[in-house]
Amino acid sequence: MSTPTRDTAVSVSESTFLRDNMVCHLDTVTYVSAEHGEKETVVEVCEPYVAPAQKADVVCRYAGGNNAGHTIVYGGKKFALKLIPSGIFSGHEVIMGNGMVVNPKAFLEEVKYLNDGGIDTSKIRISDRCHVILPYHLEIDELQEKRKGDKSIGTTKRGIGPAYVDKYSRIGIRMGEFVDEELFLERLKETFPMKVAEYPELKDMFTVEEIFEEYKEYAKIIKPLVCDTGMLLDQYLQEDKKVLFEG
């Protein structure tokens, strides 16, 4: 583990202590690794990262999407995760927080991947306020890179940046809307034409109906996992449970 750099967002007060990339406060521990960016990182299941995860009652990933991710070595096996919190290997509840952007299709693929490897995913909880990555976000990522030409930045082209743009533009679709079939269609009809106006190429790639028909099926599977995770975390902290926040 490297020591925090200026790219590692940390906040240290009198009641916190700092160790490597961890910020610890009372019954919460925050692992911050912003300096890794979109490069793949390998985390061996050992101190100082997994020890807090094993001791925590809940592990919460608070930001990011299915970018380059990281590889976890657990039980002699390697698991490459891009979206689900690494705390999934602790056997405790894991939360995908409201700061994340979630590709539903990629999420379900990763759940199957973990299940096939013998890892229990029944304790995943997804914030109803996190934003959803839809197929046009991936195409926008690709189109932006092409428009930049030799000035392209080499993103993973997984739609993460464009999804965050929609979030901050207040036109993105939240998970709570996504799992409500009627509301999802309504929001899709509002949002997709705005993106077509900005990127005319999308008109020949997708229709609202095509996106809706495919993604409503993913929503049905994901819906039982979606809740107000802010209230859930507050409840845990009120009960003095130990929480690990994973960046």
Side-chain angles (χ1 to χ4, degrees):
M1 296 290 182
S2 59
T3 55
T5 68
R6 63 181 181 180
D7 296 321
T8 305
V10 297
S11 175
V12 183
S13 65
E14 292 180 0
S15 58
T16 65
F17 68 89
L18 184 64
R19 177 185 175 186
D20 294 329
N21 284 38
M22 294 182 188
V23 181
C24 304
H25 181 278
L26 300 178
D27 287 328
T28 71
V29 176
T30 304
Y31 177 77
V32 188
S33 56
E35 77 276 13
H36 294 311
E38 292 190 332
K39 296 178 180 178
E40 183 177 15
T41 59
V42 179
V43 181
E44 294 286 348
V45 177
C46 59
E47 285 279 357
Y49 173 69
V50 173
Q54 297 288 2
K55 294 175 183 177
D57 297 302
V58 59
V59 179
C60 175
R61 182 177 175 188
Y62 56 85
N66 61 316
N67 52 10
H70 42 261
T71 299
I72 304 294
V73 180
Y74 179 75
K77 299 179 182 178
K78 284 188 177 182
F79 293 88
L81 297 184
K82 301 181 185 301
L83 189 60
I84 295 170
S86 303
I88 193 70
F89 299 98
S90 70
H92 303 145
E93 192 165 62
V94 295
I95 290 175
M96 296 169 65
N98 64 305
M100 293 188 66
V101 286
V102 178
N103 180 324
K105 186 175 183 178
F107 169 73
L108 292 174
E109 288 172 352
E110 196 159 298
V111 165
K112 183 180 184 303
Y113 166 70
L114 286 168
N115 291 160
D116 290 346
I119 305 300
D120 178 23
T121 56
S122 64
K123 295 182 180 179
I124 296 174
R125 301 291 177 266
I126 305 174
S127 172
D128 58 355
R129 291 174 174 82
C130 68
H131 280 246
V132 178
I133 296 176
L134 292 167
Y136 55 81
H137 288 121
L138 281 71
E139 293 299 335
I140 290 172
D141 218 347
E142 179 81 30
L143 290 168
Q144 287 178 341
E145 287 289 273
K146 288 181 179 178
R147 289 182 181 184
K148 292 172 185 174
D150 59 5
K151 291 184 169 56
S152 64
I153 61 174
T155 75
T156 55
K157 299 177 183 177
R158 292 186 175 130
I160 296 167
Y164 273 116
V165 167
D166 281 3
K167 173 179 179 175
Y168 295 118
S169 298
R170 301 183 179 89
I171 64 170
I173 298 175
R174 291 183 173 188
M175 189 61 73
E177 298 169 324
F178 175 67
V179 297
D180 180 323
E181 194 168 299
E182 185 176 336
L183 188 53
F184 173 41
L185 181 57
E186 178 184 328
R187 293 287 290 108
L188 197 55
K189 287 179 177 179
E190 293 172 357
T191 302
F192 185 61
M194 297 182 196
K195 307 314 293 183
V196 171
E198 190 175 358
Y199 299 92
E201 298 95 327
L202 295 176
K203 186 176 181 180
D204 297 325
M205 298 179 182
F206 307 104
T207 67
V208 167
E209 291 72 23
E210 288 171 346
I211 297 171
F212 176 69
E213 287 301 318
E214 178 182 356
Y215 278 73
K216 73 176 183 180
E217 299 304 318
Y218 304 146
K220 290 175 184 177
I221 302 171
I222 294 172
K223 187 173 183 176
L225 308 178
V226 177
C227 65
D228 185 338
T229 56
M231 292 292 291
L232 189 60
L233 282 168
D234 183 63
Q235 175 188 326
Y236 288 149
L237 293 175
Q238 292 294 331
E239 295 171 354
D240 292 326
K241 291 188 176 181
K242 293 180 174 61
V243 180
L244 171 65
F245 291 97
E246 175 185 321

